[in-house]
Amino acid sequence: MSSRAEILDRLKSQTSSQGQVTLPEFDVAYIGDPVSKFKTILGELYTDVIEVNSLSEVASFVTEKFDGKRMISNVETIDFPDTANWKEQDQHLLENVEFALFEGTLGVAENGAIWISDEQMGQRVAPFICQRLGIILKKSSIVPLMQQAYKNLDSNKSSFGTFISGPSKTADIEQSLVVGAHGSRELFVFLM
Amino acid sequence: MSEGKHASLAEKLTNDTDRTDWHNKSIWGVRKKRDVAAFGIPDWELLRQTASNIKDYVLDNLHDLLLEFEKNATENGITVHWAADAEEHNAIVHGILAKHNVKKMVKSKSMLTEECGLNPHLEKNGIEVIDTDLGERIIQLRDEHPSHIVMPAIHLKREEISDTFHESWGTEKGNFDPQYLAEAARQSLRQDFLTADAALTGVNFAIAETGEYVVCTNEGNADMGAHLAPVQISCMGLEKLIPKREHLSVMLRLLARSSTGQPITAYSSHFKKPRKGQEMHLVLVDNGRSRHIQLPKFKAGLKCIRCAACMNTCPVYRRSGGHSYHVTVPGPIGSILAPNTNLKEYSDLPFASTLCGACSNVCPVKINIHEQLYEWRQVIGKAGYVETSKKIGLKVMNFVLSNPKVYDIGGKLGKKAMTLMPYAINNPLNPWYKSREMPDMDTESFKDWYKKNR
């Protein structure tokens, strides 16, 4: 008998009927205003939250800050000088990207997490391999809890997706927090 | 794993009082962060109960859920493998790597591959394995095992880590600034990410309904590996399954808060389909789990989501250190999981507890850990695996406590002895005296006092 059959066989005898778990509605009142909670939490998570009125404001902020370094964008209407073919490049060549800009689908107030799908990433590794990361997010997309986030996300829409909540970090050396482990060293969230 | 039993292995740490205090405080700090995070949510107990219900459902329906997951994952383009035990798991992973002629593999944290002894197996077969979680990389360079499931190098001081990096990577000797050391690791591991032929990750949750799985990290190392390498392998124990995607909203709220007191990890990545040109494999590993699930009293241990809250709160773990448990998953949860795999080998672990119940109180999926520790003691006693000294001690205690006269005389003699010759008790031969001061003796017994005062 194959391992698969053996394992399933043993588990079969353990099956007992129990109703599927439906989730209760969790308390959202304690969050207060989702947008201001979202900003507070991300602030605590070493993230720069910047309120903007237009995409051109984002573009000029970024261009000024990272002038002369390699920048890529997967946001329509924002193109940086050398971005022409980065999405078709071998992903290893993104190693020298200083700044990468994407749009996020939604934000979660309780934990500052932002969902980005692979479509929004252009290349899956892009938001991880860049030195600094920027995400544009609509204020209207911010929900109170993870529960509302999953209700709004369509799993069929992405082959890969991630919640990002702050820059990469580690506390593996004597519990001392160091920001910038393997992923981005900084996260800029542009709220529109 | 190392030779010896919990009490003697713990001496490595407890013999150094300063280090024991340092270890205790550092882990207690994490426990306190967990409290702040948990108390910040009005529905915390409702979340725990819901998570517990979800996991109970999973264990009662694992057969069907695994089939549903396998079907959906396969449709997504992931190749699903089944491994009965550690050997088969290692052979499957090696087979995939050999087929692709992989020379170097990067790996993010996976306690399962540690449980299966994957690294030595692959290294024996000429494959270089690089652990990419900073804590795991540190202990890999030092040829040690993790002492904690979330903070693998929590037993090491920065000076020791600095020495290791100096020897391995030529970092400045004596520079033990965490920022400097972490940057050195970033630079070194980036080269590994860029040159690896394959990447392996663990799995935090797999979702039957969608055939996808979630990997949580703070460092971003799982993603760096998986999205750069042409081949991705992920390994999971059967019990990591959850039925629906919406259930993640409960699990992800509990995991990081219970673990480190963070509201969520920096990255919670949902892997569903391979990217263009990439091959994705998932190995479902039993290694004793389908037998464990058949033990009604111990089944609930399989609900564990590996957050480590129970070890952070455990007064024994904090002072004895992870290595004293001589098993991959240490602490209270490890002490109820390990005896399922080898009762004799791990017969000491259920005794490495005060049964205070702190572990059960913080467990996000409400496993009755301390009750199971007690249950295991009965099983181990019946099997005859209780240490001789403990057995004799308990027999003497039983004799004294069930004979009032013996108890009376014993108490009086004991009190005299303590007053006249305190060194009869306060000596290094008495394990109870280690790291403890004996209290002053009362001159009269409770019985005498009660007679006078009732």
Side-chain angles (χ1 to χ4, degrees), chain B residues 260-284:
Chain B
T260 54
Q262 293 172 261
I264 191 168
T265 48
Y267 305 101
S268 309
S269 291
H270 298 49
F271 293 90
K272 192 172 176 192
K273 293 177 183 172
R275 63 170 195 274
K276 210 175 141 206
Q278 184 204 26
E279 214 176 283
M280 255 170 103
H281 295 265
L282 184 119
V283 191
L284 290 166

Side-chain angles (χ1 to χ4, degrees), chain B residues 199-262:
Chain B
L200 187 143
T201 78
V203 171
N204 289 94
F205 304 101
I207 299 105
E209 178 188 48
T210 56
E212 70 190 318
Y213 58 89
V214 177
V215 183
C216 304
T217 74
N218 277 318
E219 299 182 6
N221 55 322
D223 289 282
M224 283 290 279
H227 305 317
L228 283 170
V231 183
Q232 178 183 352
I233 306 172
S234 300
C235 303
M236 63 175 265
L238 301 179
E239 80 284 13
K240 288 292 178 84
L241 218 54
I242 56 173
K244 295 184 177 182
R245 202 182 209 222
E246 65 177 25
H247 296 147
L248 281 173
S249 73
V250 176
M251 296 302 174
L252 291 179
R253 289 185 80 187
L254 287 165
L255 180 63
R257 288 185 175 98
S258 300
S259 196
T260 54
Q262 293 172 261

Side-chain angles (χ1 to χ4, degrees), chain A residues 4 14-15 20-21 25 31-32 38 55 60 79-80 92 94 107 110 113 119 121 137 140 146 161-162 167 169 177 182:
Chain A
R4 180 182 180 276
Q14 292 308 303
T15 303
Q20 176 75 255
V21 182
E25 286 297 323
I31 295 292
F38 180 78
L55 287 178
S60 51
D79 264 326
F80 299 123
H92 293 82
L94 297 174
E110 66 162 316
E119 256 179 30
M121 294 173 191
L137 193 68
S140 58
M146 292 298 277
T162 191
K169 54 184 183 283
L177 184 90
H182 297 304

Side-chain angles (χ1 to χ4, degrees), chain A residues 151-171:
Chain A
K151 271 185 196 155
N152 292 1
L153 289 172
D154 180 356
S155 74
N156 293 319
K157 264 198 162 163
S158 52
S159 306
F160 171 77
T162 191
F163 280 110
I164 295 184
S165 175
S168 88
K169 54 184 183 283
T170 182

